[in-house]
Amino acid sequence: MNHGTATDMATDTATDAVTDLLTRFRRAGVLGAADVHVATTIARAGAETDPLVVLAVALCVRAPRHGHVCIEPATIAATLVVGGDDDSAAGPGAGPGDPDPDETDPDPSDPGALPWPDPAAWAGALQASANVRAPGDTEAPGTRRLPLVFDGTRCWLERYWAYERRVADALRSRAADASGCFPDNDATAAALDAAFAPPAPDPDAGAPVPDPGPDRQRAAAHLALTRRLTVIAGGPGTGKTRTIAHTLLAATALARAEGRDLRIGLATPTGKAADRMTKALAAAVAGADVGDDVRATLDGLAAVTLHRLLGGSPRGTFRHGPDDPLPHDLVVVDETSMVSLPLMAHLLAALRPGTGLVLVGDPDQLVSIEAGAVLGDIVDPVRIAQDPSHALRDCVVVLDKSYRFGGRDAIVAFADAVRRGAVDAAVAALRTPSDQLAWIDPADPNAVDALADGVAAVAAESVAAARAGDATAALEHSAHVKVLCGTRHGDLGSYRWTERIEARLGLTGAAGRWYVGRPVIVTRNDHLNRLFNGDTGIYVATADGDPAVVFPAGADGTRRVATAQLAESETWWAMTVHKSQGSEFDEVVVSLPATESPILTRELLYTGVTRAKEKVTIVATEAALRAAIGRPVQRATGLRAALSVPPPGA
């Protein structure tokens, strides 16, 4: 046997070992066809033959699709979940054309039964591979970029490690910069005092005006004006919008006094959240006692999506970046919990060094469906552990007092129990009679039917307004009650709820998909038609006899869009909880899937409940509720560790 033949045979044997290992993980639903294809392509490019390294590549390719930035080889076998939210691109099982699993394949519901590598051997293989580098290693100019980065605990695709490094470095740099849009002096203090002055007592009121508790809000505003980075965290009703509005009032007044214009950028991850932010800030400014010049400046502000702020294109590129930074002096980002790691990296790269950045959001809500958990990685160590080594500790303000409902409100009590993972307290809150909180067992068909009748009755008002050509009223009625589901599919999913409502409205016959009164939600960004994922509209009769889909536009305005421009949309009688982020409804119905669904998490339930202003109805078994509250989202990232520094003297 010649040497060349022996080498070929060894290569073939190694290739077979790689193929066999990846095939078993694919058949179990852990890896998808794309994961395997990308991993084997990378392996061929780097002449990688170790099955353990190629498996790590495939799992790292899979990770961002499930929200993870990296993998942790020592713990992934015990923490990996097969399946997930059907809003994502991931899904369990074999795809079209895949071979059927044979009898020796592991149970897809038990990824622990797969041949997971020994953690020590896996780490050793990664450290020995020529295709893996350590975070501290530098690449020589002109050399091939290595696909994986391994720090001994976490393993990243190089691209996502670079995103995380850039975000951590930029946040740490901003946190260390004590300068801001305005100096920390008496003039700034006076402007803040004026903006956050408590309301004057009403002499005709029977009770004293409650203290709005501006101290912590004012502290957040002070940071926003005098530092390069401020993080304002809090649940619903804790005053985040008020804090933003009054911060902008103070900032505008200070800029006017200095004879300059302050360039302010307001952004959110979705169009729906941007519209809500614009309206909420306008309402807050309208009730403030400010001069006409300040009011005129702020009245002209409108929030946009982050993609629009950055000049995003359909190709996934951005106009603004280090070579063409944003022109703003102050940028405020609301609903930051939904901002993915890559998008945060692009935003930070597009800011001028002197621009102030304010990140606002609820860290207990669902995180982005894309990779990362940026807000939670920033806030949780500060809020929960009071980590003295956290680089951003002095930049974070947590608003923890709710003003929207009152301290004993049933919705707030239930949401707080869910947030804390207090299962028994949450169940007890649901069992306590209340006109704000209801619980329906899905095994009771009469109760489910009665609930569907009630939702359909409100939907009928929207349809009637649409048939009358009143788009504004139709949109308002369509958002009064919304069914929020854990998944699209199944008897408790959004598709089935839409069928229930349409059947009661008599809209499932010959009229077909498009009918006057049909509410729609855009499911994919469409830059050409200025429609973005999460935008909502309604199909309305018009005076010219040509029905069109009407979307909100600006301050109480609307715009018409032809149905031919809405290929990427769905009926909006019901929606997934993920799609509801950034929205708010008078009443919500939260419909949870079966206990075994991996989508059931604490954050999913909390997000759904906190979309309601007046009433929440939960449709779920007790087992499903307990499973959700007891299962917090766990995402593998390295950002939290990167934002911690050794304490002085360590």
Side-chain angles (χ1 to χ4, degrees), residues 415-483:
D416 185 62
V418 172
R419 180 187 65 78
R420 293 183 288 109
V423 179
D424 291 338
V427 172
L430 280 178
R431 287 178 172 156
T432 302
S434 168
D435 58 358
Q436 297 177 348
L437 200 59
W439 184 12
I440 290 177
D441 188 336
D444 183 348
N446 293 330
V448 174
D449 285 345
L451 176 62
D453 289 344
V455 174
V458 177
E461 298 177 2
S462 178
V463 173
R467 289 172 175 170
D470 190 342
T472 301
L475 287 166
E476 180 181 346
H477 288 304
S478 71
H480 178 61
V481 178
K482 195 59 59 182
V483 182

Side-chain angles (χ1 to χ4, degrees), residues 225-304:
L225 297 185
T226 61
R227 302 290 294 263
R228 294 296 178 209
L229 175 67
T230 304
V231 181
I232 305 173
T238 54
K240 298 190 298 296
T241 299
R242 178 181 186 270
T243 302
I244 297 170
H246 289 254
T247 298
L248 298 182
L249 287 171
T252 304
L254 283 167
R256 289 289 184 185
E258 295 176 358
R260 64 184 176 102
D261 291 326
L262 189 71
R263 294 165 294 184
I264 300 170
L266 305 178
T268 69
T270 69
K272 174 62 68 175
D275 181 62
R276 179 182 164 196
M277 182 186 190
T278 299
K279 291 179 178 177
L281 288 176
V285 171
D289 182 15
V290 295
D292 291 342
D293 56 340
V294 173
R295 189 182 305 281
T297 299
L298 295 180
D299 282 345
L301 285 178
V304 298

